[in-house]
Amino acid sequence: MKRFAQLYTALDSSNRSRDKHQAIVDYFKQAPAEDAAWCVYFLLGNRLGRLVSGRALRELVAELTQLPEWLVEASYAQVGDLAETLALLMEGVEATLERQLPSLRQLVAQLKSELGTKDVSRAGSLLSSLWAASDNSERLVLNKLLTGGLRVGVSRATVVKALAEVAQVEPAVMAHRLMGGFEPTAENFKRLFIEASQADALARPYPFCLAYPVDEAEPLETTLGALENWQVEWKWDGIRAQLLYREADPLLWSRGEELVGDAFPEIVESARILPKGIVLDGEIVAWDEQAGRPLPFGALQRRIGRKRVSKALLGEVPVRFVAYDLLESESEDRRGETTLVRRRRLEVIFAKLGMDSKLGLSPVVESNDWQALRELRAESRARAVEGFMLKHKQASYRVGRVRGDWWKWKIEPYTLDAVLVNAVQGHGRRAGLYTDYTFALRDGEEGWVPFAKAYSGLTDAEIRQVDTWIRRHTLERHGPVRIVEPTLVFEIAFEGIAESKRHKCGLAVRFPRIHRWRQDKSAREADDLSALQRLHRLAGQS
């Protein structure tokens, strides 16, 4: 358990991906398979669920530390995280040196077996014993397990890459081995490290070719030259993916090297009409089959990350794979061929398929000149796309972001001026600072209605300024949330708007972020709810 607690501390205290990667690698090189299996399980986002009620835990800690219960409650209200609160309150409790926590596997087994009895006195005895055998870092992790709140700040891709390094295989191979969920047993952990096989090779996607954003500081006629040298396509608002159909079953890989076929089973099934030995690059989009156009990204979000998709959801949010490049055909790597040649091959393949509602070919956009293309780009929102992709006709399909081959020419985001109404402290590097903000629009003369949360867009200096202001202008506290005077105005940028029953304003915005702090504006000059509703109506008409 000590080794796992040290890993958790290292991951929680660092914001550098390289350091997190190395900490995970070091752990798996040393940990026994029985413990490492549970570590994989937790790092992939799985949790045990709440094993003891929060109230029971607070009462036990109050008894152990001889602190009054009101002080424990007040501390919880200030910190906001129960596991962290309890660990902080117990910092003065010395660990019993002659005792140690059991291994991670043994600890999980003990917690699951003995805390399922609902016997509070038995739970108190067990937890007092475990806390007495723990140091401060171990107590925090133990408390996270007990409350069901163990979230480790690493992405699945980071975990996959670290395991791949230990196993000396490519990340895509490891992602394939983890497909379908991971049961935390020593046997399953050891299977991750078997020698690479032909099946691993056939399951591996290609590295993605990425695009640079267009800089419109200079005219495109100057920076990119003649339009006739470029293949122009719509930029779809979905999930970038590769669809593989080699010798075995079709596989659907996201750009983050995650297998997403469980969330989009109809695309995987439709892929069987493709000729074998093929790899397509494209976009998964929510698709209105009757209108023949994309649905908003908000609809697609209902499908993302699911391991099972109900029949109802399949019907409510139909999806399509829009193919726009050919990476492999007839089991031959086509990436070295030019964009024009790959496109011709792709068109021939799709011409033979006939109509299929789940597989489509991204159309090439024809235009006489750059100015005509600018005018067509203005229709992007009307077409439910994000702008254009510009691909040099003589470019090969290269790895990563190569300047000059592919460009993304996106439309400008929506923006509204909103008022900061509440804030919560951040985590990791931002711990102790109020960095997670809720913004509201005016609703009538007096009221404010929240419409977006945003966490990014301010400089470190601005964050410190806002944090100081929040502490001085707090009106109320509700647990970790500070309600503040509605006076600071920020310009909030976002990509899309959709109806939402979960949001008080009735609308949800996609990817909100702080565009700039409007210190030149007062709250009376901020936008009201009707401005957001007007943008939504315009988006619906387009």
Side-chain angles (χ1 to χ4, degrees):
M1 176 60 182
K2 183 177 289 294
R3 187 180 286 119
F4 179 68
Q6 290 170 343
L7 172 63
Y8 179 89
T9 301
L11 297 176
D12 190 53
S13 61
S14 174
N15 64 338
R16 297 182 60 188
S17 298
R18 184 182 301 174
D19 292 344
K20 292 185 177 187
H21 171 90
Q22 191 58 52
I24 297 171
V25 168
D26 292 342
Y27 175 88
F28 285 122
K29 283 183 176 179
Q30 301 173 18
E34 294 80 4
D35 289 350
W38 277 104
C39 183
V40 171
Y41 182 79
F42 292 132
L43 291 179
L44 292 179
N46 300 296
R47 290 177 284 171
L48 296 179
R50 186 178 287 274
L51 298 172
V52 185
S53 74
R55 173 160 293 279
L57 286 171
R58 295 195 295 274
E59 290 175 352
L60 285 169
V61 168
E63 181 181 345
L64 178 66
T65 59
Q66 297 185 332
L67 293 172
E69 288 189 21
W70 68 263
L71 182 55
V72 175
E73 296 293 340
S75 300
Y76 178 36
Q78 177 67 24
V79 176
D81 182 280
L82 179 58
E84 187 176 352
T85 301
L86 302 183
L88 289 170
L89 291 173
M90 288 189 289
E91 280 190 354
V93 178
E94 293 285 341
T96 306
L97 297 179
E98 63 271 15
R99 302 178 61 186
Q100 286 187 331
L101 285 178
S103 68
L104 180 59
R105 179 192 64 81
Q106 293 169 333
L107 177 65
V108 170
Q110 188 175 20
L111 293 177
K112 291 175 70 176
S113 64
E114 297 192 33
L115 296 182
T117 63
K118 308 299 182 184
D119 184 339
V120 177
S121 62
R122 186 175 178 182
S125 175
L126 172 63
L127 295 181
S128 296
S129 174
L130 293 174
W131 283 328
S134 311
D135 62 23
N136 291 334
S137 63
E138 290 170 328
R139 284 178 192 145
L140 176 60
V141 177
L142 173 57
N143 293 345
K144 293 281 187 181
L145 290 172
L146 293 170
T147 61
L150 182 66
R151 296 181 180 87
V152 187
V154 291
S155 66
R156 184 184 181 93
T158 300
V159 179
V160 168
K161 288 178 182 178
L163 285 167
E165 180 175 324
V166 177
Q168 297 186 328
V169 298
E170 292 188 25
V173 171
M174 184 57 63
H176 184 243
R177 292 178 181 181
L178 288 165
M179 186 174 67
F182 179 82
E183 291 299 320
T185 66
E187 293 73 22
N188 286 340
F189 180 77
K190 291 174 182 176
R191 288 193 191 102
L192 299 177
F193 298 89
I194 59 175
E195 187 175 343
S197 65
Q198 179 65 14
D200 287 328
L202 292 174
R204 187 183 309 140
Y206 290 105
F208 284 84
C209 181
L210 305 177
Y212 268 93
V214 165
D215 182 359
E216 296 189 72
E218 293 187 41
L220 297 185
E221 292 87 340
T222 302
T223 56
L224 299 186
L227 180 57
E228 63 187 24
N229 294 326
W230 297 90
Q231 177 175 296
V232 183
E233 302 171 39
W234 295 109
K235 188 178 187 307
W236 303 98
D237 190 8
I239 301 171
R240 183 84 179 273
Q242 284 183 30
L243 184 58
L244 285 60
Y245 190 29
R246 286 170 172 149
E247 294 181 12
D249 292 332
L251 296 172
L252 190 61
W253 288 90
S254 74
R255 201 181 99 184
E257 294 190 332
E258 294 186 38
L259 283 157
V260 294
D262 289 343
F264 308 105
E266 64 269 58
I267 292 177
V268 174
E269 191 57 36
S270 286
R272 297 183 188 277
I273 68 173
L274 294 166
K276 284 193 173 185
I278 193 170
V279 177
L280 302 176
D281 185 8
E283 199 92 4
I284 303 168
V285 294
W287 193 260
D288 185 333
E289 296 177 3
Q290 290 186 336
R293 56 173 280 163
L295 292 166
F297 185 83
L300 186 66
Q301 285 181 308
R302 297 177 60 192
R303 300 280 300 267
I304 296 173
R306 290 183 177 263
K307 297 301 181 184
R308 294 184 183 84
V309 182
S310 67
K311 288 184 179 180
L313 190 55
L314 286 170
E316 292 168 10
V317 186
V319 296
R320 180 178 241 205
F321 181 84
V322 182
Y324 45 63
D325 216 322
L326 180 70
L327 311 188
E328 186 177 313
S329 65
E330 299 174 323
S331 300
E332 292 289 331
D333 185 347
R334 305 295 182 185
R335 294 176 300 159
E337 298 175 347
T338 66
T339 299
L340 278 178
V341 171
R342 298 196 311 275
R343 176 70 192 193
R344 291 193 192 107
R345 290 186 187 276
L346 194 58
E347 289 172 348
V348 169
I349 291 169
F350 271 80
K352 294 178 181 178
L353 294 182
M355 295 297 293
D356 185 277
S357 63
K358 304 305 176 187
L359 298 177
L361 179 61
S362 180
V364 172
V365 178
E366 302 293 344
S367 183
N368 294 327
D369 53 41
W370 286 110
Q371 183 54 36
L373 196 62
R374 286 187 185 91
E375 294 171 3
L376 190 58
R377 175 173 168 264
E379 300 177 10
S380 294
R381 284 204 170 94
R383 297 172 180 267
V385 295
E386 294 185 302
F388 286 131
M389 289 293 302
L390 309 173
K391 302 176 182 178
H392 200 283
K393 291 180 178 179
Q394 299 305 313
S396 59
Y397 188 99
R398 295 205 274 175
V399 174
R401 189 171 277 107
V402 180
R403 194 174 185 87
D405 288 355
W406 285 19
W407 298 90
K408 51 186 177 182
W409 191 15
K410 295 181 66 174
I411 52 177
E412 294 299 317
Y414 296 107
T415 60
L416 287 173
D417 289 333
V419 170
L420 175 66
V421 290
N422 69 57
V424 177
Q425 290 187 5
H427 299 278
R429 187 173 67 92
R430 292 182 163 191
L433 293 171
Y434 284 93
T435 59
D436 299 358
Y437 312 119
T438 298
F439 297 95
L441 302 171
R442 187 180 297 280
D443 186 17
E445 283 302 314
E446 301 297 331
W448 297 93
V449 59
F451 95 104
K453 293 180 182 292
Y455 317 96
S456 62
L458 295 180
T459 65
D460 288 347
E462 288 173 328
I463 287 172
R464 288 191 292 272
Q465 277 185 270
V466 174
D467 177 80
T468 300
W469 184 93
I470 288 169
R471 295 175 188 276
R472 292 175 178 174
H473 296 82
T474 297
L475 299 176
E476 300 175 37
R477 296 184 185 183
H478 299 284
V481 180
R482 287 201 183 207
I483 311 299
V484 298
E485 296 174 12
T487 56
L488 293 192
V489 180
F490 296 82
E491 185 178 9
I492 307 300
F494 49 96
E495 301 300 328
I497 315 169
E499 292 184 2
S500 172
K501 295 179 180 179
R502 294 173 48 242
H503 293 75
K504 188 175 181 180
C505 67
L507 297 168
V509 298
R510 182 187 172 205
F511 188 33
R513 66 271 190 195
I514 301 170
H515 193 249
R516 55 178 169 159
W517 183 358
R518 296 303 305 265
Q519 298 188 57
D520 58 320
K521 282 195 172 186
S522 68
R524 296 184 64 84
E525 298 174 276
D527 286 305
D528 58 20
L529 181 57
S530 66
L532 179 64
Q533 293 167 339
R534 183 166 57 254
L535 288 177
H536 180 245
R537 285 196 300 272
L538 291 173
Q541 293 168 7
S542 52

